[in-house]
C-alpha cells in the first residue's frame, strides 16, 4: 500500500502560481511512477503531468506545457507540481497518483494509488 497526501492548493489570482506537493508513505516511493490529474464536479478525471520513477522522464500535455512542471524527490518521498501563470480554467481538484512500475503513465486506470485531492481555485 501507498498513502498519498496532497497539499498546497488554495485560491490564487489569475497569473499567479501554486506549488502542489504530494507526500507518499508506505512502500518504496522510488518504485512508483507518479502523476497529477485534475477533476471538475461531474466530469472525468483529466491527466495533467507524469514523471518516471527516477525523475528523468516527464510528460506535460500541450495544454499546460510551459506553465506546469512536475518533479520528485525520492529522498523525501515527495512529488511536486509547480503551476505558473494560472488561468481561471485551471480551477479544479488536483490529485496525485502512484503507479507501480518505472515508466510514465498517462491514463487514470494505469494508476494504483490516489490521494484525496487538493482544491485549486483561480480568480479573475
Amino acid at each position: 500500500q501507498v498513502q498519498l497526501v496532497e497539499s498546497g492548493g488554495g485560491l490564487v489570482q489569475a497569473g499567479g502560481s501554486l506549488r502542489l506537493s504530494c507526500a507518499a508513505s508506505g512502500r518504496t516511493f522510488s518504485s512508483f511512477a507518479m502523476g497529477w490529474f485534475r477533476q471538475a464536479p461531474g466530469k472525468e478525471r483529466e491527466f495533467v503531468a507524469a514523471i518516471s520513477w527516477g525523475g528523468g522522464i516527464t510528460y506535460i500535455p500541450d495544454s499546460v506545457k510551459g506553465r506546469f512542471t512536475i518533479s520528485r524527490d525520492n529522498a523525501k518521498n515527495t512529488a511536486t507540481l509547480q503551476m505558473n501563470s494560472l488561468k481561471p480554467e485551471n480551477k479544479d481538484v488536483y490529485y496525485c497518483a502512484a503507479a507501480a512500475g518505472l515508466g510514465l503513465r498517462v491514463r487514470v486506470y494505469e494508476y494504483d494509488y490516489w490521494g484525496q485531492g487538493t482544491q485549486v481555485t483561480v480568480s479573475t
Side-chain angles (χ1 to χ4, degrees):
Q1 287 284 345
V2 173
Q3 292 77 43
L4 303 173
V5 179
E6 301 97 334
S7 62
L11 172 64
V12 65
Q13 287 189 328
S17 299
L18 282 175
R19 186 178 180 87
L20 305 184
S21 293
C22 176
S25 60
R27 292 175 58 185
T28 304
F29 180 67
S30 60
S31 64
F32 291 85
M34 298 296 295
W36 287 91
F37 290 76
R38 57 184 289 187
Q39 188 171 25
K43 294 189 177 181
E44 292 187 355
R45 202 159 287 189
E46 179 183 331
F47 172 75
V48 175
I51 190 166
S52 61
W53 69 277
I57 303 173
T58 63
Y59 177 63
I60 305 286
D62 289 343
S63 58
V64 295
K65 188 175 290 182
R67 299 191 297 119
F68 289 15
T69 304
I70 186 171
S71 61
R72 66 187 296 162
D73 185 337
N74 286 347
K76 296 182 178 179
N77 289 355
T78 58
T80 300
L81 182 68
Q82 177 68 43
M83 304 187 296
N84 299 328
S85 302
L86 282 162
K87 305 175 181 180
E89 54 262 40
N90 296 132
K91 171 186 178 293
D92 263 334
V93 177
Y94 283 72
Y95 298 87
C96 73
L102 308 181
L104 293 178
R105 307 285 196 276
V106 299
R107 298 176 179 82
V108 171
Y109 68 83
E110 294 177 305
Y111 284 83
D112 304 290
Y113 302 98
W114 294 85
Q116 82 289 348
T118 185
Q119 177 71 52
V120 171
T121 303
V122 185
S123 64
T124 56

